[in-house]
PDB file of all heavy atoms in Angstrom:
ATOM      1  N   LYS O 205     -35.818 132.064 221.861  1.00 98.00           N
ATOM      2  CA  LYS O 205     -36.013 131.676 220.422  1.00 98.00           C
ATOM      3  C   LYS O 205     -35.766 132.898 219.524  1.00 98.00           C
ATOM      4  O   LYS O 205     -35.137 132.758 218.498  1.00 98.00           O
ATOM      5  CB  LYS O 205     -37.366 131.257 220.219  1.00 98.00           C
ATOM      6  CG  LYS O 205     -37.695 129.771 220.755  1.00 98.00           C
ATOM      7  CD  LYS O 205     -39.052 129.325 220.270  1.00 98.00           C
ATOM      8  CE  LYS O 205     -39.403 127.926 220.988  1.00 98.00           C
ATOM      9  NZ  LYS O 205     -40.916 127.808 221.179  1.00 98.00           N
ATOM     10  N   MET O 206     -36.194 134.045 219.975  1.00 98.00           N
ATOM     11  CA  MET O 206     -36.097 135.284 219.126  1.00 98.00           C
ATOM     12  C   MET O 206     -34.555 135.506 218.931  1.00 98.00           C
ATOM     13  O   MET O 206     -34.036 135.797 217.890  1.00 98.00           O
ATOM     14  CB  MET O 206     -36.887 136.405 219.822  1.00 98.00           C
ATOM     15  CG  MET O 206     -36.783 137.724 219.167  1.00 98.00           C
ATOM     16  SD  MET O 206     -37.488 137.775 217.425  1.00 98.00           S
ATOM     17  CE  MET O 206     -39.166 138.118 217.750  1.00 98.00           C
ATOM     18  N   LEU O 207     -33.842 135.409 220.003  1.00 98.00           N
ATOM     19  CA  LEU O 207     -32.391 135.789 220.100  1.00 98.00           C
ATOM     20  C   LEU O 207     -31.646 134.828 219.157  1.00 98.00           C
ATOM     21  O   LEU O 207     -30.886 135.220 218.305  1.00 98.00           O
ATOM     22  CB  LEU O 207     -31.841 135.824 221.465  1.00 98.00           C
ATOM     23  CG  LEU O 207     -32.375 137.055 222.406  1.00 98.00           C
ATOM     24  CD1 LEU O 207     -32.037 136.714 223.840  1.00 98.00           C
ATOM     25  CD2 LEU O 207     -31.728 138.330 221.984  1.00 98.00           C
ATOM     26  N   GLU O 208     -31.973 133.616 219.377  1.00 98.00           N
ATOM     27  CA  GLU O 208     -31.257 132.492 218.695  1.00 98.00           C
ATOM     28  C   GLU O 208     -31.519 132.606 217.074  1.00 98.00           C
ATOM     29  O   GLU O 208     -30.661 132.268 216.237  1.00 98.00           O
ATOM     30  CB  GLU O 208     -31.460 131.060 219.252  1.00 98.00           C
ATOM     31  CG  GLU O 208     -30.913 130.964 220.563  1.00 98.00           C
ATOM     32  CD  GLU O 208     -31.207 129.640 221.225  1.00 98.00           C
ATOM     33  OE1 GLU O 208     -32.219 128.895 220.804  1.00 98.00           O
ATOM     34  OE2 GLU O 208     -30.533 129.212 222.253  1.00 98.00           O
ATOM     35  N   GLY O 209     -32.740 132.915 216.864  1.00 98.00           N
ATOM     36  CA  GLY O 209     -33.056 133.087 215.404  1.00 98.00           C
ATOM     37  C   GLY O 209     -32.266 134.260 214.879  1.00 98.00           C
ATOM     38  O   GLY O 209     -32.152 134.269 213.586  1.00 98.00           O
ATOM     39  N   LEU O 210     -31.797 135.184 215.652  1.00 98.00           N
ATOM     40  CA  LEU O 210     -31.038 136.207 215.050  1.00 98.00           C
ATOM     41  C   LEU O 210     -29.559 135.813 215.236  1.00 98.00           C
ATOM     42  O   LEU O 210     -28.662 136.664 214.955  1.00 98.00           O
ATOM     43  CB  LEU O 210     -31.288 137.629 215.785  1.00 98.00           C
ATOM     44  CG  LEU O 210     -32.626 138.192 215.463  1.00 98.00           C
ATOM     45  CD1 LEU O 210     -32.985 139.371 216.558  1.00 98.00           C
ATOM     46  CD2 LEU O 210     -32.770 138.626 214.041  1.00 98.00           C
ATOM     47  N   GLY O 211     -29.191 134.638 215.561  1.00 98.00           N
ATOM     48  CA  GLY O 211     -27.776 134.248 215.642  1.00 98.00           C
ATOM     49  C   GLY O 211     -27.151 134.577 216.906  1.00 98.00           C
ATOM     50  O   GLY O 211     -25.918 134.490 217.038  1.00 98.00           O
ATOM     51  N   GLU O 212     -27.813 135.123 217.917  1.00 98.00           N
ATOM     52  CA  GLU O 212     -27.301 135.305 219.270  1.00 98.00           C
ATOM     53  C   GLU O 212     -27.402 134.173 220.128  1.00 98.00           C
ATOM     54  O   GLU O 212     -28.409 133.593 220.282  1.00 98.00           O
ATOM     55  CB  GLU O 212     -28.029 136.575 219.833  1.00 98.00           C
ATOM     56  CG  GLU O 212     -27.742 136.904 221.280  1.00 98.00           C
ATOM     57  CD  GLU O 212     -26.304 137.621 221.454  1.00 98.00           C
ATOM     58  OE1 GLU O 212     -25.646 137.829 220.507  1.00 98.00           O
ATOM     59  OE2 GLU O 212     -26.071 137.907 222.642  1.00 98.00           O
ATOM     60  N   LYS O 213     -26.293 133.791 220.846  1.00 98.00           N
ATOM     61  CA  LYS O 213     -26.338 132.763 221.847  1.00 98.00           C
ATOM     62  C   LYS O 213     -27.034 133.283 223.121  1.00 98.00           C
ATOM     63  O   LYS O 213     -26.867 134.489 223.522  1.00 98.00           O
ATOM     64  CB  LYS O 213     -25.019 132.240 222.150  1.00 98.00           C
ATOM     65  CG  LYS O 213     -24.258 131.577 221.047  1.00 98.00           C
ATOM     66  CD  LYS O 213     -23.211 130.565 221.645  1.00 98.00           C
ATOM     67  CE  LYS O 213     -22.705 129.616 220.653  1.00 98.00           C
ATOM     68  NZ  LYS O 213     -21.846 130.369 219.575  1.00 98.00           N
ATOM     69  N   ALA O 214     -27.977 132.514 223.668  1.00 98.00           N
ATOM     70  CA  ALA O 214     -28.620 132.833 224.916  1.00 98.00           C
ATOM     71  C   ALA O 214     -28.715 131.685 225.879  1.00 98.00           C
ATOM     72  O   ALA O 214     -28.792 130.503 225.427  1.00 98.00           O
ATOM     73  CB  ALA O 214     -30.066 133.320 224.407  1.00 98.00           C
ATOM     74  N   PHE O 215     -28.881 132.005 227.095  1.00 98.00           N
ATOM     75  CA  PHE O 215     -29.059 131.029 228.169  1.00 98.00           C
ATOM     76  C   PHE O 215     -29.952 131.393 229.146  1.00 98.00           C
ATOM     77  O   PHE O 215     -30.172 132.663 229.332  1.00 98.00           O
ATOM     78  CB  PHE O 215     -27.634 130.529 228.800  1.00 98.00           C
ATOM     79  CG  PHE O 215     -26.992 131.556 229.630  1.00 98.00           C
ATOM     80  CD1 PHE O 215     -27.148 131.453 231.023  1.00 98.00           C
ATOM     81  CD2 PHE O 215     -26.357 132.724 229.117  1.00 98.00           C
ATOM     82  CE1 PHE O 215     -26.553 132.455 231.862  1.00 98.00           C
ATOM     83  CE2 PHE O 215     -25.809 133.678 230.048  1.00 98.00           C
ATOM     84  CZ  PHE O 215     -25.905 133.543 231.321  1.00 98.00           C
ATOM     85  N   GLU O 216     -30.509 130.568 229.997  1.00 98.00           N
ATOM     86  CA  GLU O 216     -31.387 130.810 231.078  1.00 98.00           C
ATOM     87  C   GLU O 216     -30.762 131.135 232.338  1.00 98.00           C
ATOM     88  O   GLU O 216     -29.879 130.388 232.765  1.00 98.00           O
ATOM     89  CB  GLU O 216     -32.435 129.691 231.221  1.00 98.00           C
ATOM     90  CG  GLU O 216     -33.233 129.364 230.044  1.00 98.00           C
ATOM     91  CD  GLU O 216     -34.078 128.137 230.172  1.00 98.00           C
ATOM     92  OE1 GLU O 216     -34.219 127.547 231.190  1.00 98.00           O
ATOM     93  OE2 GLU O 216     -34.816 127.779 229.147  1.00 98.00           O
ATOM     94  N   ILE O 217     -31.165 132.296 233.022  1.00 98.00           N
ATOM     95  CA  ILE O 217     -30.631 132.593 234.292  1.00 98.00           C
ATOM     96  C   ILE O 217     -31.727 131.997 235.298  1.00 98.00           C
ATOM     97  O   ILE O 217     -32.847 132.572 235.381  1.00 98.00           O
ATOM     98  CB  ILE O 217     -30.455 134.103 234.531  1.00 98.00           C
ATOM     99  CG1 ILE O 217     -29.328 134.581 233.464  1.00 98.00           C
ATOM    100  CG2 ILE O 217     -29.954 134.346 235.927  1.00 98.00           C
ATOM    101  CD1 ILE O 217     -29.313 136.075 233.400  1.00 98.00           C
ATOM    102  N   ARG O 218     -31.419 131.090 236.037  1.00 98.00           N
ATOM    103  CA  ARG O 218     -32.272 130.419 237.082  1.00 98.00           C
ATOM    104  C   ARG O 218     -31.714 130.414 238.379  1.00 98.00           C
ATOM    105  O   ARG O 218     -32.401 130.305 239.360  1.00 98.00           O
ATOM    106  CB  ARG O 218     -32.493 128.971 236.653  1.00 98.00           C
ATOM    107  CG  ARG O 218     -33.292 128.793 235.333  1.00 98.00           C
ATOM    108  CD  ARG O 218     -33.522 127.437 234.976  1.00 98.00           C
ATOM    109  NE  ARG O 218     -34.399 127.200 234.013  1.00 98.00           N
ATOM    110  CZ  ARG O 218     -35.628 127.148 234.034  1.00 98.00           C
ATOM    111  NH1 ARG O 218     -36.268 127.176 235.255  1.00 98.00           N
ATOM    112  NH2 ARG O 218     -36.436 126.944 232.917  1.00 98.00           N
ATOM    113  N   SER O 219     -30.354 130.465 238.563  1.00 98.00           N
ATOM    114  CA  SER O 219     -29.821 130.288 239.909  1.00 98.00           C
ATOM    115  C   SER O 219     -28.553 131.304 239.870  1.00 98.00           C
ATOM    116  O   SER O 219     -28.138 131.890 238.896  1.00 98.00           O
ATOM    117  CB  SER O 219     -29.229 128.988 240.129  1.00 98.00           C
ATOM    118  OG  SER O 219     -28.147 128.739 239.220  1.00 98.00           O
ATOM    119  N   GLU O 220     -28.122 131.488 241.165  1.00 97.00           N
ATOM    120  CA  GLU O 220     -26.923 132.439 241.359  1.00 97.00           C
ATOM    121  C   GLU O 220     -25.768 131.962 240.512  1.00 97.00           C
ATOM    122  O   GLU O 220     -25.004 132.785 239.974  1.00 97.00           O
ATOM    123  CB  GLU O 220     -26.604 132.400 242.812  1.00 97.00           C
ATOM    124  CG  GLU O 220     -26.146 133.759 243.339  1.00 97.00           C
ATOM    125  CD  GLU O 220     -25.753 133.831 244.730  1.00 97.00           C
ATOM    126  OE1 GLU O 220     -26.245 133.018 245.503  1.00 97.00           O
ATOM    127  OE2 GLU O 220     -24.883 134.606 245.066  1.00 97.00           O
ATOM    128  N   ALA O 221     -25.512 130.680 240.428  1.00 97.00           N
ATOM    129  CA  ALA O 221     -24.404 130.075 239.705  1.00 97.00           C
ATOM    130  C   ALA O 221     -24.494 130.543 238.173  1.00 97.00           C
ATOM    131  O   ALA O 221     -23.359 130.719 237.559  1.00 97.00           O
ATOM    132  CB  ALA O 221     -24.413 128.553 239.816  1.00 97.00           C
ATOM    133  N   ASP O 222     -25.738 130.722 237.628  1.00 98.00           N
ATOM    134  CA  ASP O 222     -25.820 131.012 236.177  1.00 98.00           C
ATOM    135  C   ASP O 222     -25.174 132.437 235.976  1.00 98.00           C
ATOM    136  O   ASP O 222     -24.686 132.742 234.914  1.00 98.00           O
ATOM    137  CB  ASP O 222     -27.266 131.004 235.762  1.00 98.00           C
ATOM    138  CG  ASP O 222     -27.932 129.657 235.876  1.00 98.00           C
ATOM    139  OD1 ASP O 222     -27.191 128.677 235.453  1.00 98.00           O
ATOM    140  OD2 ASP O 222     -29.042 129.566 236.111  1.00 98.00           O
ATOM    141  N   LEU O 223     -25.257 133.152 237.034  1.00 97.00           N
ATOM    142  CA  LEU O 223     -24.638 134.584 236.772  1.00 97.00           C
ATOM    143  C   LEU O 223     -23.193 134.629 236.859  1.00 97.00           C
ATOM    144  O   LEU O 223     -22.623 135.649 236.662  1.00 97.00           O
ATOM    145  CB  LEU O 223     -25.207 135.520 238.003  1.00 97.00           C
ATOM    146  CG  LEU O 223     -26.759 135.705 237.880  1.00 97.00           C
ATOM    147  CD1 LEU O 223     -27.291 136.378 239.115  1.00 97.00           C
ATOM    148  CD2 LEU O 223     -27.011 136.627 236.677  1.00 97.00           C
ATOM    149  N   ASP O 224     -22.516 133.507 237.040  1.00 96.00           N
ATOM    150  CA  ASP O 224     -21.094 133.511 236.952  1.00 96.00           C
ATOM    151  C   ASP O 224     -20.682 133.225 235.582  1.00 96.00           C
ATOM    152  O   ASP O 224     -19.455 133.304 235.220  1.00 96.00           O
ATOM    153  CB  ASP O 224     -20.518 132.396 237.943  1.00 96.00           C
ATOM    154  CG  ASP O 224     -20.705 132.788 239.415  1.00 96.00           C
ATOM    155  OD1 ASP O 224     -20.739 133.993 239.694  1.00 96.00           O
ATOM    156  OD2 ASP O 224     -20.862 131.816 240.191  1.00 96.00           O
ATOM    157  N   LYS O 225     -21.676 132.828 234.667  1.00 97.00           N
ATOM    158  CA  LYS O 225     -21.254 132.561 233.307  1.00 97.00           C
ATOM    159  C   LYS O 225     -20.853 133.957 232.623  1.00 97.00           C
ATOM    160  O   LYS O 225     -21.280 134.923 233.114  1.00 97.00           O
ATOM    161  CB  LYS O 225     -22.434 132.020 232.514  1.00 97.00           C
ATOM    162  CG  LYS O 225     -22.790 130.609 233.034  1.00 97.00           C
ATOM    163  CD  LYS O 225     -23.847 129.901 232.261  1.00 97.00           C
ATOM    164  CE  LYS O 225     -24.290 128.678 232.861  1.00 97.00           C
ATOM    165  NZ  LYS O 225     -25.594 128.094 232.516  1.00 97.00           N
ATOM    166  N   SER O 226     -20.203 133.849 231.611  1.00 97.00           N
ATOM    167  CA  SER O 226     -19.763 135.112 230.906  1.00 97.00           C
ATOM    168  C   SER O 226     -20.752 135.550 229.891  1.00 97.00           C
ATOM    169  O   SER O 226     -21.155 134.712 229.004  1.00 97.00           O
ATOM    170  CB  SER O 226     -18.449 134.805 230.196  1.00 97.00           C
ATOM    171  OG  SER O 226     -18.223 135.743 229.193  1.00 97.00           O
ATOM    172  N   PHE O 227     -21.443 136.623 230.140  1.00 98.00           N
ATOM    173  CA  PHE O 227     -22.389 137.118 229.110  1.00 98.00           C
ATOM    174  C   PHE O 227     -22.419 138.685 229.116  1.00 98.00           C
ATOM    175  O   PHE O 227     -21.862 139.344 229.977  1.00 98.00           O
ATOM    176  CB  PHE O 227     -23.909 136.554 229.430  1.00 98.00           C
ATOM    177  CG  PHE O 227     -24.355 137.078 230.775  1.00 98.00           C
ATOM    178  CD1 PHE O 227     -25.392 138.092 230.894  1.00 98.00           C
ATOM    179  CD2 PHE O 227     -23.896 136.503 231.961  1.00 98.00           C
ATOM    180  CE1 PHE O 227     -25.954 138.391 232.092  1.00 98.00           C
ATOM    181  CE2 PHE O 227     -24.552 136.821 233.324  1.00 98.00           C
ATOM    182  CZ  PHE O 227     -25.539 137.761 233.333  1.00 98.00           C
ATOM    183  N   ASP O 228     -22.833 139.203 227.931  1.00 97.00           N
ATOM    184  CA  ASP O 228     -22.773 140.686 227.825  1.00 97.00           C
ATOM    185  C   ASP O 228     -23.938 141.375 227.533  1.00 97.00           C
ATOM    186  O   ASP O 228     -23.999 142.640 227.265  1.00 97.00           O
ATOM    187  CB  ASP O 228     -21.691 140.996 226.762  1.00 97.00           C
ATOM    188  CG  ASP O 228     -21.788 140.093 225.511  1.00 97.00           C
ATOM    189  OD1 ASP O 228     -22.920 139.526 225.274  1.00 97.00           O
ATOM    190  OD2 ASP O 228     -20.782 139.889 224.841  1.00 97.00           O
ATOM    191  N   ARG O 229     -25.135 140.633 227.669  1.00 98.00           N
ATOM    192  CA  ARG O 229     -26.489 141.298 227.452  1.00 98.00           C
ATOM    193  C   ARG O 229     -27.425 140.685 228.425  1.00 98.00           C
ATOM    194  O   ARG O 229     -27.182 139.462 228.765  1.00 98.00           O
ATOM    195  CB  ARG O 229     -26.964 141.047 226.181  1.00 98.00           C
ATOM    196  CG  ARG O 229     -26.431 141.983 225.035  1.00 98.00           C
ATOM    197  CD  ARG O 229     -26.665 141.600 223.673  1.00 98.00           C
ATOM    198  NE  ARG O 229     -25.776 142.198 222.883  1.00 98.00           N
ATOM    199  CZ  ARG O 229     -25.814 143.529 222.713  1.00 98.00           C
ATOM    200  NH1 ARG O 229     -26.768 144.150 223.056  1.00 98.00           N
ATOM    201  NH2 ARG O 229     -24.780 144.028 222.083  1.00 98.00           N
ATOM    202  N   LEU O 230     -28.561 141.323 228.852  1.00 98.00           N
ATOM    203  CA  LEU O 230     -29.469 140.763 229.730  1.00 98.00           C
ATOM    204  C   LEU O 230     -30.863 141.075 229.349  1.00 98.00           C
ATOM    205  O   LEU O 230     -31.147 142.128 228.662  1.00 98.00           O
ATOM    206  CB  LEU O 230     -29.233 141.437 231.111  1.00 98.00           C
ATOM    207  CG  LEU O 230     -30.224 141.049 232.228  1.00 98.00           C
ATOM    208  CD1 LEU O 230     -30.102 139.621 232.673  1.00 98.00           C
ATOM    209  CD2 LEU O 230     -30.099 142.052 233.326  1.00 98.00           C
TER     210      LEU O 230
END
Side-chain angles (χ1 to χ4, degrees):
K205 283 186 186 154
M206 181 62 92
L207 291 161
E208 288 179 346
L210 292 169
E212 171 74 359
K213 290 205 169 71
F215 71 99
E216 296 177 5
I217 298 171
R218 293 175 171 277
S219 68
E220 213 182 334
D222 292 326
L223 291 170
D224 294 333
K225 292 182 186 158
S226 156
F227 63 105
D228 42 24
R229 282 169 199 286
L230 175 67

